[in-house]
Amino acid sequence: MEQPPTSPIATPPENVRLGILSMLLAMVLMTVMNALAKLLAESYPLGEVTFFRNLFALLPAVAMVAAAGGRSCLHTDHWQGHLWRAVIGLASMVLLFWAYHLMPLANAVAISYSAPLFLTALSVPLLGEKVGAFRWGAVVVGFAGVLIMVQPGAGMLDRGALVALVAAVCYALAMIAMRQLGRTERPVTTVFYFTVISTLLSALALPLGWTTPDGHALALMVAMGIAGGGAQYFSTRAYALARAVVVGPFSYASLIYASVLGWLVWGDVPAPHVVIGATVVIGSGLLILYRETRRREIEGAASPLPPRRAAPTTRLV
């Protein structure tokens, strides 16, 4: 069996403009995928929608493997890590699709941006990372923004908001798994195995609920899967072309896209408290992103090996 390279993977020259364009395109594709999932979930079981999203995402995933050098990049000795990343990532995907079904698209997207906050908090007990007062302050401010959005009252959380929050926690756990895998695995390897395993796992839910799609629905499912896989490809490409602190903020463009698409298709207009809370969450997320990038640059400067660009911590299903 072919062994993985022992030398560090070469980082391509930075291209800020192309990196930003790749991220903006990734967010367009992700918003299209989310909107199609919301639309399809109105008529088809959630498990079936999730299965087809993963099945047709295999097409871009295979293209990523081919562009990265073929089968040589699929070698791994960390099957358990890939399985856990797929399980928790799939849980996040299902919950997020459910949240899209329960509430306006832009609201669910806004709440899902709390994932970096959970990631920062969970990285302390699970990864042993040290989080300084500055980043803890950003987390506290961010969670205040979450409370503004979900507005828990006497009746506690709205079901859609609660589902979106749990999805964000699951995604944070998936990002922790990706960080652990990232020590030995290439991004394309993780993306490919996530897509394959999540397709197989989501197929297990098909006997629990199945509605045969007509031609129009099947075309939408194909488009949903390709859009989701394409979003993964262009997001990965964006972080390969430019530093996370440069391209990361442009991932928040998906909230704008989701707001516009939600208004055009479903007539949803984000409430003022959602806009205010989302602004606070995004601001805290940008602060965390900046501090995370600075930490990695300092660690990279102290290391004899050339620093690798930071992996994405934005939401991407």
Side-chain angles (χ1 to χ4, degrees), residues 132-189:
F134 187 93
R135 279 202 289 164
W136 274 125
V139 169
V140 172
V141 172
F143 280 126
V146 173
L147 292 176
I148 293 173
M149 284 190 290
V150 301
Q151 291 192 327
M156 294 306 291
L157 297 178
D158 171 78
R159 184 172 63 163
L162 182 60
V163 170
L165 279 175
V166 177
V169 173
C170 289
Y171 186 74
L173 292 171
M175 289 300 96
I176 288 175
M178 287 186 66
R179 282 190 177 184
Q180 293 171 326
L181 287 169
R183 297 166 182 168
T184 57
E185 309 291 274
R186 299 173 64 174
V188 63
T189 309

Side-chain angles (χ1 to χ4, degrees), residues 6-313:
T6 57
S7 58
I9 300 171
T11 302
E14 187 171 38
N15 187 327
V16 172
R17 179 178 298 179
L18 191 56
I20 292 173
L21 288 176
S22 295
M23 178 57 72
L24 290 174
L25 179 56
M27 294 304 102
V28 169
L29 292 172
M30 186 181 71
T31 305
V32 170
M33 179 201 70
N34 292 338
L36 289 174
K38 178 178 175 65
L39 187 65
L40 289 165
E42 295 173 356
S43 305
Y44 295 90
L46 190 60
E48 184 178 343
V49 173
T50 305
F51 168 75
F52 280 112
R53 180 265 182 244
N54 291 308
L55 177 66
F56 293 114
L58 284 171
L59 298 176
V62 170
M64 288 179 67
V65 170
R71 290 188 300 173
S72 62
C73 68
L74 296 182
H75 173 88
T76 182
D77 293 319
H78 303 279
W79 291 107
Q80 290 183 337
H82 285 291
L83 179 60
W84 167 244
R85 185 270 182 269
V87 169
I88 197 66
L90 182 61
S92 175
M93 182 186 298
V94 172
L95 290 168
L96 203 54
F97 285 175
W98 188 17
Y100 295 152
H101 178 63
L102 294 173
M103 63 193 309
L105 182 64
N107 291 22
V109 170
I111 294 173
S112 72
Y113 279 134
S114 62
L117 309 177
F118 291 112
L119 173 62
T120 300
L122 292 172
S123 66
V124 176
L126 297 182
L127 294 178
E129 294 186 356
K130 294 182 179 180
V131 176
F134 187 93
R135 279 202 289 164
W136 274 125
V139 169
V140 172
V141 172
F143 280 126
V146 173
L147 292 176
I148 293 173
M149 284 190 290
V150 301
Q151 291 192 327
M156 294 306 291
L157 297 178
D158 171 78
R159 184 172 63 163
L162 182 60
V163 170
L165 279 175
V166 177
V169 173
C170 289
Y171 186 74
L173 292 171
M175 289 300 96
I176 288 175
M178 287 186 66
R179 282 190 177 184
Q180 293 171 326
L181 287 169
R183 297 166 182 168
T184 57
E185 309 291 274
R186 299 173 64 174
V188 63
T189 309
T190 304
V191 169
F192 179 80
Y193 285 122
F194 166 73
T195 307
V196 171
I197 297 173
S198 59
T199 299
L200 296 176
L201 291 177
S202 56
L204 298 177
L206 294 180
L208 303 178
W210 172 265
T211 301
T212 302
D214 56 24
H216 176 68
L218 186 60
L220 294 181
M221 290 177 177
V222 172
M224 175 183 60
I226 292 177
Q232 286 184 312
Y233 172 80
F234 283 106
S235 176
T236 302
R237 179 173 171 79
Y239 284 101
L241 289 168
R243 292 169 297 159
V245 73
V246 175
V247 298
F250 289 91
S251 66
Y252 292 109
S254 64
L255 182 57
I256 299 174
Y257 302 152
S259 299
V260 172
L261 201 56
W263 174 66
L264 291 175
V265 178
W266 291 278
D268 295 330
V269 178
H273 70 274
V274 174
V275 175
I276 295 172
T279 302
V280 174
V281 170
I282 290 173
S284 64
L286 292 177
L287 286 175
I288 291 173
L289 176 63
Y290 171 76
R291 296 293 290 190
E292 177 75 3
T293 304
R294 287 291 300 156
R295 181 181 67 84
R296 289 175 180 268
E297 288 176 349
I298 293 172
E299 290 176 353
S303 172
L305 297 176
R308 296 176 63 182
R309 296 194 182 111
T313 58

